[in-house]
Amino acid sequence: MKQIKIRLSKVTILAILLFSFFSFGYAGKQDPLTIALTGKYPPFSFFNQHGKLDGFDVDIAKEIANILHKDIEIITTEWDGIIAGLLTNKYDAIIGSMAITPKRAEQVLFSNPYYISGAQLFVNRNNSIKDIRDCDGKKIGVVLGETYERYLRKNHSNIIIITYKSTIDIFQDMDNGRLDGFVTDQLVGAWQIKKANKSFIKKGDLLYKERIGIPVKKSDPLLLSQINKALAQISISGKKKQLYDKWFALKIEPEFTKEANQKMDSMVVYKKLLKGFSITLFVAFFSLLIGFIFALPLGVILHKKKGLIYILVRSGVDFIRGTPVLIQLFFVYYGAPQFGLTFSPLVSAIITLSINSMAYLAEVIRSGLLSVNFGQFLGGRALGLSKFQVFRFIIWPQAFRVTIPPLMNSIVALTKDTAIISVISVGEVIREAQSIISYTFNPMKYYLIVAIMFFIVTFPLMKLASFIECKVKEKGFMHD
Amino acid sequence: MIDIKKISFKYNKGNYILEKFSAIIPNGSNYAILGESGSGKTTLLKCIGQFLKPQTGTINYNGKNIFEINEQKYRESIGIVFQKLFLFPHLTVLENLTLALINVQKKNKKDAIDQASSTLKKLGLHDLGTSFPDQISGGQAQRVAVARALLLKPEYLLLDEPTSALDNNTTNSFAKWLQGLEKETNLIIVTHDQMFAQKVASTGIYLQNGQVLAEGKIETIIQESNSDGSKK
């Protein structure tokens, strides 16, 4: 045992020596390299027909990890929060086709570019627009947060820019006639258009060229130099050309055209959706349970209206009910790490939705308590029951009956609210649907399936609520 | 014995509802607190029931100040049936009766049910056990509320305007029913109904504007109060 330890440490020392002598990114197997990408940017990152992450960026990330002798952990996250996630230590680097810009470079360190692309205008085949200079007063779509938006605003300020969450949404509005054209990466655009079987075509030259790099935290220059060295090695070894061909030669290969109309295996689709939906229900269930447990004492405090604690609870509940749950989610997910509390996306989601449901349920409980006549309290006290016993046996059972219908409504509302947690990359059903859509280009179908899944769960709850409401009314508890 | 000494009570900044009020409520007979509405009867009852604390004066129960002794113990000795009864609508009549037996007197469930059932039977209410309060008549509810308080074997049982929701016939039969409880407890009845008071109580007090107008044998105070009232 001791011998092994010694030998191990010798290996480590040797590794360190090697590293310092040759400055070669070799540091032994340690923490995995955690990188982020959207998983919604084919062919750079997307979920393939087997439901696995795939794409040029994914391959580059794996190569880098391989050269650094690290395991790789890939986190999929939304584009508009991807830098915030890096800065709050959710991952080590972003290998997600991010263009190097001075503005971004203020926040992060960029590696040397690992590919060069450029912005390209696409329009419908029959559109008369010749290039970007014809687009004044026209509606042009870009994906939120991408460099194209800033470029267009600066150089073509008369264009009406409309931002979208993803290219799929842009295609949808191109078909609907809401857009005259869109600007996106020339490689991605061409790939996606063929894949989705659309008749959009390139118009004009590249608007500008983009150098695509890998951002890391400013506090992490060591990782940056390791990545740069790894990129150089990928380039020198010919691996990069190999990957480039693998992904971008596709667009002219007949093989690809064949694949374009291919649907995703329906078993994979349903497995993904069911997995996502089970996470949705899991989050909803625990958020409601935790929310309810805390709502009970808060409801009593709101009902009593006494003391400083009432003022605190009242303002807290009002604040939570008066602010969007999405913002609350961002506070927990991106804000808490600044106070040293870094939660996983799932935990962040449960915390946020628990707090949110707690506020709503506290109000529901308060109104339930309000419906119980104060005389019931006197009646119970006159029998010698303690205050707690009066609450437990007399007030609460009556309040609870009145509370059930609004409680059910809150349960339904909260179950639906879980949809928003997809923005912090919890793999719930909406996110799974989005990743399927990024491959199949059929948003209406899969969003409809998701809507039906929600309805199957919420409909019985709503029916149950009205059934209980009738029962409660029959028993005469629903009067003031 | 309940000894009320010079108590005064007012709500916040209002006028005194009771002013330097004194009375002795004996043990061994039923007692009536008579008076028009607004005379302070119910306030007095709430003071005796320890739900309101007079600003001055004391109320002694068997020689001890009721605001200084164990609240729980006192509540067990003094039963109260409020004017609006406050039966628990989510519980059956039987459960209304057993709630305090189980949770205050810590009886096991079976004993509590036996005791409650036999009390219901004795009081002629045995069909009502499984009914809910909103399924029984006003007269029945009044008796159930009395039975619920009586089960805890209080030394005194305070009834606040027990006839207010009853018609003449039910009032008469209710009065008779109460007479049968003489051995169980000492009733303190707050009422404006002189006929009813006469039937149930032997001594009492007549309140006017928070002060004693007449005190003593029930027939006498009724006479006195009537003549006094006509004089004014």
Side-chain angles (χ1 to χ4, degrees):
Chain A
M1 192 63 194
K2 221 174 190 176
Q3 246 181 346
I4 296 172
K5 259 189 192 166
I6 291 167
R7 216 181 281 162
L8 267 178
S9 63
K10 272 184 186 160
V11 170
T12 319
I13 290 165
L14 195 69
I16 294 168
L17 282 178
L18 264 176
F19 175 77
S20 44
F21 270 86
F22 302 103
S23 273
F24 194 77
Y26 184 92
K29 290 248 176 190
Q30 328 133 327
D31 290 341
L33 177 68
T34 316
I35 68 105
L37 37 73
T38 61
K40 287 197 219 167
Y41 196 50
F44 296 96
S45 75
F46 62 102
F47 288 88
N48 64 20
Q49 69 265 47
H50 308 296
K52 294 255 155 47
L53 258 183
D54 207 350
F56 182 76
D57 284 344
V58 176
D59 283 347
I60 289 282
K62 284 177 181 165
E63 272 311 309
I64 290 172
N66 193 23
I67 291 169
L68 298 181
H69 289 263
K70 286 187 178 191
D71 289 330
I72 185 135
E73 193 183 317
I74 300 178
I75 292 174
T76 55
T77 188
E78 289 292 317
W79 182 252
D80 39 353
I82 202 162
I83 289 189
L86 177 69
L87 298 179
T88 50
N89 277 324
K90 307 265 184 225
Y91 27 81
D92 302 322
I94 300 165
I95 304 185
S97 293
M98 185 176 280
I100 301 170
T101 65
K103 184 106 184 178
R104 282 176 184 153
E106 284 170 16
Q107 289 181 286
V108 297
L109 293 175
F110 272 105
S111 72
N112 299 329
Y114 65 99
Y115 74 89
I116 311 269
S117 183
Q120 175 70 53
L121 171 70
F122 293 88
V123 297
N124 261 315
R125 195 173 289 280
N126 48 14
N127 198 307
S128 61
I129 294 173
K130 287 210 176 58
D131 69 11
I132 195 74
R133 285 176 294 253
D134 292 344
C135 290
D136 285 3
K138 302 270 196 249
K139 292 182 184 126
I140 300 298
V142 293
V143 173
L144 186 71
E146 281 189 41
T147 334
Y148 317 122
E149 183 186 351
R150 237 183 327 275
Y151 173 83
L152 290 180
R153 285 202 196 289
K154 202 172 159 194
N155 299 294
H156 302 276
S157 52
N158 291 327
I159 290 176
I160 302 166
I161 300 162
I162 301 176
T163 56
Y164 288 85
K165 273 211 118 47
S166 76
T167 319
I168 295 151
D169 300 335
I170 291 181
F171 286 7
Q172 208 61 25
D173 269 2
M174 285 292 287
D175 288 344
N176 296 336
R178 290 203 190 101
L179 283 178
D180 297 300
F182 60 97
V183 169
T184 188
D185 183 278
Q186 60 149 344
L187 295 173
V188 184
W191 190 86
Q192 286 173 322
I193 289 164
K194 278 203 161 186
K195 187 120 185 64
N197 225 352
K198 302 288 180 193
S199 56
F200 312 137
I201 51 168
K202 291 183 186 179
K203 280 290 173 81
D205 298 328
L206 282 183
L207 305 185
Y208 62 88
K209 283 184 178 170
E210 277 185 326
R211 292 151 61 242
I212 306 299
I214 299 171
V216 300
K217 285 176 290 274
K218 288 208 155 172
S219 57
D220 214 353
L222 177 65
L223 179 64
L224 185 76
S225 72
Q226 288 175 339
I227 287 175
N228 275 335
K229 268 155 206 150
L231 284 176
Q233 208 194 341
I234 293 169
S235 207
I236 293 160
S237 67
K239 186 76 194 170
K240 186 152 138 191
K241 178 160 188 335
Q242 205 183 319
L243 288 178
Y244 214 86
D245 288 347
K246 174 182 167 193
W247 290 106
F248 306 115
L250 265 181
K251 62 186 166 91
I252 43 165
E253 295 290 314
E255 188 192 359
F256 172 77
T257 332
K258 191 185 88 197
E259 198 195 15
N261 294 326
Q262 197 176 311
K263 281 178 187 154
M264 204 164 182
D265 180 5
S266 61
M267 273 309 287
V268 174
V269 167
Y270 290 114
K271 242 168 127 180
K272 275 170 80 75
L273 288 180
L274 281 177
K275 189 182 127 233
F277 199 58
S278 63
I279 291 175
T280 297
L281 293 182
F282 174 86
V283 170
F285 177 79
F286 278 97
S287 306
L288 277 162
L289 188 70
I290 297 167
F292 184 75
I293 290 168
F294 284 100
L296 203 53
L298 296 189
V300 174
I301 291 166
L302 288 180
H303 179 62
K304 281 194 137 189
K305 291 192 175 178
K306 267 186 195 157
L308 182 67
I309 187 151
Y310 165 72
I311 297 168
L312 290 176
V313 172
R314 178 81 269 170
S315 1
V317 165
D318 284 348
F319 185 76
I320 293 165
R321 292 188 344 132
T323 50
V325 62
L326 186 65
I327 306 284
Q328 294 163 11
L329 187 65
F330 285 156
F331 266 105
V332 173
Y333 189 64
Y334 298 117
Q338 291 171 21
F339 302 96
L341 297 163
T342 306
F343 305 114
S344 74
L346 188 68
V347 172
S348 302
I350 291 178
I351 289 175
T352 309
L353 294 177
S354 297
I355 292 173
N356 198 259
S357 62
M358 175 188 79
Y360 281 92
L361 296 180
E363 283 293 347
V364 168
I365 288 166
R366 183 196 65 84
S367 67
L369 293 173
L370 199 65
S371 73
V372 181
N373 191 316
F374 179 69
Q376 291 289 311
F377 178 80
L378 284 182
R381 294 289 281 155
L383 290 177
L385 293 162
S386 70
K387 282 179 186 170
F388 177 75
Q389 286 174 326
V390 170
F391 181 80
R392 162 83 181 72
F393 297 114
I394 298 168
I395 308 293
W396 175 244
Q398 295 182 51
F400 184 61
R401 285 170 158 81
V402 179
T403 304
I404 290 171
L407 205 61
M408 290 290 190
N409 288 335
S410 294
I411 290 174
V412 170
L414 189 99
T415 308
K416 290 185 296 174
D417 274 353
T418 55
I420 65 142
I421 65 180
S422 63
V423 304
I424 58 163
S425 57
V426 175
E428 50 67 77
V429 69
I430 308 283
R431 194 174 172 83
E432 292 296 339
Q434 284 169 346
S435 92
I436 293 166
I437 291 162
S438 75
Y439 191 81
T440 60
F441 293 93
N442 197 345
M444 292 336 291
K445 178 179 169 189
Y446 293 101
Y447 283 139
L448 185 66
I449 291 174
V450 171
I452 291 168
M453 287 174 114
F454 271 100
F455 190 66
I456 287 170
V457 171
T458 55
F459 183 70
L461 283 175
M462 289 187 282
K463 282 288 137 199
L464 187 65
S466 49
F467 173 76
I468 293 172
E469 196 171 338
C470 287
K471 281 280 153 199
V472 168
K473 272 185 182 152
E474 272 171 30
K475 286 237 166 180
F477 294 125
M478 283 290 267
H479 44 66
D480 45 23
Chain B
M1 189 176 81
I2 297 173
D3 184 3
I4 303 165
K5 281 183 199 159
K6 291 187 176 172
I7 62 167
S8 299
F9 181 88
K10 61 173 183 176
Y11 289 99
N12 297 326
K13 285 173 184 162
N15 294 328
Y16 277 102
I17 294 167
L18 294 171
E19 208 168 357
K20 290 182 184 165
F21 172 91
S22 295
I24 290 176
I25 302 173
N27 186 338
S29 65
N30 292 343
Y31 190 84
I33 299 172
L34 278 157
E36 300 303 317
S37 59
S39 60
K41 303 187 302 285
T42 299
T43 304
L44 176 60
L45 173 124
K46 283 186 175 166
C47 288
I48 299 172
Q50 217 202 32
F51 285 103
L52 295 176
K53 191 177 180 193
Q55 279 82 15
T56 59
T58 56
I59 301 175
N60 287 345
Y61 167 68
N62 292 340
K64 283 173 189 147
N65 187 337
I66 64 165
F67 293 100
E68 286 165 9
I69 58 176
N70 182 302
E71 189 183 321
Q72 214 73 25
K73 275 260 146 47
Y74 181 67
R75 286 272 156 74
E76 287 180 47
S77 322
I78 306 281
I80 300 187
V81 175
F82 293 96
Q83 185 174 354
K84 287 185 177 164
L85 308 181
F86 305 135
L87 293 176
F88 309 132
H90 61 300
L91 301 176
T92 63
V93 166
L94 193 67
E95 287 165 342
N96 261 280
L97 264 59
T98 55
L99 185 67
L101 287 177
I102 294 170
N103 295 295
V104 178
Q105 301 199 334
K106 306 293 175 201
K107 298 211 154 100
N108 71 45
K109 202 176 169 188
K110 193 183 167 296
D111 289 353
I113 291 175
D114 286 349
Q115 199 183 335
S117 308
S118 72
T119 299
L120 282 177
K121 200 168 180 185
K122 199 164 67 187
L123 301 179
L125 302 167
H126 48 283
D127 323 335
L128 302 180
T130 56
S131 307
F132 283 91
D134 60 356
Q135 296 168 327
I136 61 179
S137 73
Q140 289 170 327
Q142 189 64 255
R143 289 170 208 217
V144 167
V146 172
R148 184 173 76 175
L150 212 53
L151 259 179
L152 302 174
K153 302 199 187 312
E155 193 178 336
Y156 290 93
L157 177 57
L158 280 65
L159 304 180
D160 189 11
E161 294 286 6
T163 63
S164 62
L166 307 180
D167 59 36
N168 280 339
N169 281 337
T170 6
T171 302
N172 287 338
S173 62
F174 183 61
K176 257 189 209 135
W177 186 78
L178 284 179
Q179 284 161 8
L181 301 180
E182 211 151 4
K183 282 175 201 142
E184 313 269 343
T185 186
N186 302 298
L187 295 173
I188 302 175
I189 297 158
V190 171
T191 183
H192 67 281
D193 185 338
Q194 301 182 348
M195 294 275 285
F196 177 73
Q198 226 167 338
K199 277 179 193 146
V200 183
S202 52
T203 58
I205 196 168
Y206 198 100
L207 266 180
Q208 197 173 55
N209 299 327
Q211 284 172 324
V212 182
L213 189 69
E215 192 175 6
K217 276 205 169 300
I218 199 85
E219 292 80 8
T220 334
I221 63 166
I222 288 171
Q223 259 175 6
E224 276 180 37
S225 68
N226 288 344
S227 57
D228 192 81
S230 58
K231 258 184 244 166
K232 280 187 176 175

